[in-house]
Amino acid sequence: MATPDPAEPDGLTDEDYRRLLELRDGLRRFLRWSEQQARAAGITPAQHQLLLAVRGHPGGPPTLRDIADHLLLRHHSVVGLGGRAEEAGLVTRVGDRDEPRLVRVELTAEGARVLAALAAEHKEELQRIGLIYADLGRDLPTG
């Protein structure tokens, strides 16, 4: 690791900044690639995130609040997104058995099919780029 330049107030080296830029560039490229894959599958990137939040949520079907937390959105935004995804046949909204005021979201067969295809593509891409970016975070100063 390069020695931090004491003249730099943050203690980071030019190499540290280069590596941080490379990581940010890689993340942005992956996100753009992911958005393109969602569109090619016939859904929006937001719908892809919704499907992933539904399928990946631990402990069974998530509530709209759970999805809002996963997507870092407000509840009312998720209500609209969920409604559009339901109209597209990707999810269904169901009432909670124990708490009638809660709405849970489940994947439809079509939503599960689309998500499975996207997940396989994403897993392959992450494995490919993981080899490239595996060492980027190593040796960066902490503190």
Side-chain angles (χ1 to χ4, degrees), residues 3 8 57 60 64 103 109 115 129 135 140-141:
T3 304
E8 290 291 326
H57 181 73
L64 292 171
V103 175
L115 180 60
I129 65 174
D135 291 331
L140 287 175

Side-chain angles (χ1 to χ4, degrees), residues 55-125:
R55 179 64 177 87
H57 181 73
T63 64
L64 292 171
R65 172 62 52 212
D66 295 329
I67 294 169
D69 290 344
H70 286 300
L71 301 184
L72 304 176
L73 295 173
R74 293 184 180 207
H75 182 269
H76 71 273
S77 297
V78 173
V79 170
L81 176 61
R84 291 186 297 279
E86 189 169 38
E87 289 172 10
L90 301 169
V91 298
T92 184
R93 293 183 284 186
V94 295
D96 186 272
R97 284 180 273 164
D98 300 324
E99 180 57 56
R101 295 178 295 164
L102 288 180
V103 175
R104 297 199 177 269
V105 180
E106 298 177 347
L107 294 180
T108 63
E110 176 64 7
R113 182 194 66 74
V114 170
L115 180 60
L118 284 168
E121 292 171 354
H122 280 69
K123 183 177 179 184
E124 184 178 307
E125 180 68 3

Side-chain angles (χ1 to χ4, degrees), residues 8-80:
E8 290 291 326
D10 54 18
L12 298 174
T13 66
D14 288 344
E15 176 66 10
D16 292 334
Y17 282 107
R18 185 198 62 75
R19 292 174 75 195
L20 288 168
L21 174 63
E22 190 176 340
L23 177 61
R24 297 259 327 183
D25 285 351
L27 291 171
R28 292 181 60 82
R29 282 188 191 98
F30 175 76
L31 290 175
R32 177 165 291 166
W33 174 88
S34 178
E35 291 168 356
Q36 292 168 339
Q37 298 306 305
R39 288 185 187 98
I43 64 173
T44 68
Q47 287 172 331
H48 177 211
Q49 282 297 111
L50 172 75
L51 297 178
L52 190 57
V54 171
R55 179 64 177 87
H57 181 73
T63 64
L64 292 171
R65 172 62 52 212
D66 295 329
I67 294 169
D69 290 344
H70 286 300
L71 301 184
L72 304 176
L73 295 173
R74 293 184 180 207
H75 182 269
H76 71 273
S77 297
V78 173
V79 170

